[in-house]
Amino acid sequence: MTIFEKIIARQTPAKIIWEDDDAIAFHDVNPQAPVHVLIVPKRVVPRLTEATDSDSALLGKLLLVARDIAKKLDLSSGYRVVINSGPDAGESVPHLHVHLLGKRALAWPPG
Ligand code: AMP
């Protein structure tokens, strides 16, 4: 069980800000920006590389949830949405998730 499955099962605490039957969103425990939220599907897809065409609705939903949370948290001057897939991207939890970062200027290219 990954840490995200434990959060979904309420076995590990998290600052949950949104949830429905398909996904959950909570604040990252090690924030890289003043706003750093993770949007996590409840069904385990290890990483984007392993997603299939049948996951298209779920993947689209994660982005629309990011949009809605950005609005709710007033990220009106911009925000970044990130998916780390695999070791070179720095993926550390093998359960697909979308990072939503905002409330500061974010450099490009990323490190
Ligand atoms: P990634 O490196 O893309 O796999 O992102 C995993 C993220 O999960 C990191 O930003 C971690 O800080 C975050 N994280 C790990 N454990 C927890 C936790 N218990 N609650 C909230 N966020 C967590």
Side-chain angles (χ1 to χ4, degrees), residues 4 8 17-18 20 22-28 36-42 58-70 79-83 95-101:
F4 294 167
I8 291 163
I17 56 168
W18 175 89
D20 74 359
D22 301 319
I24 189 167
F26 49 87
H27 291 282
D28 197 293
H36 187 172
V37 170
L38 302 175
I39 301 139
V40 182
K42 291 189 174 176
L58 181 63
L59 294 174
K61 179 167 182 169
L62 298 178
L63 291 182
L64 293 174
V65 171
R67 174 203 63 184
D68 291 346
I69 293 173
Y79 54 88
R80 185 168 294 164
V81 167
V82 173
I83 297 175
H95 182 148
L96 179 69
H97 50 282
V98 170
H99 297 255
L100 170 66
L101 300 135

Side-chain angles (χ1 to χ4, degrees), residues 3-4 7 12-14 26-31 36 38 84 90-94 97 99:
I3 188 72
F4 294 167
I7 289 171
T12 296
F26 49 87
H27 291 282
D28 197 293
V29 77
N30 182 24
H36 187 172
L38 302 175
N84 295 320
E91 175 203 303
S92 60
V93 179
H97 50 282
H99 297 255

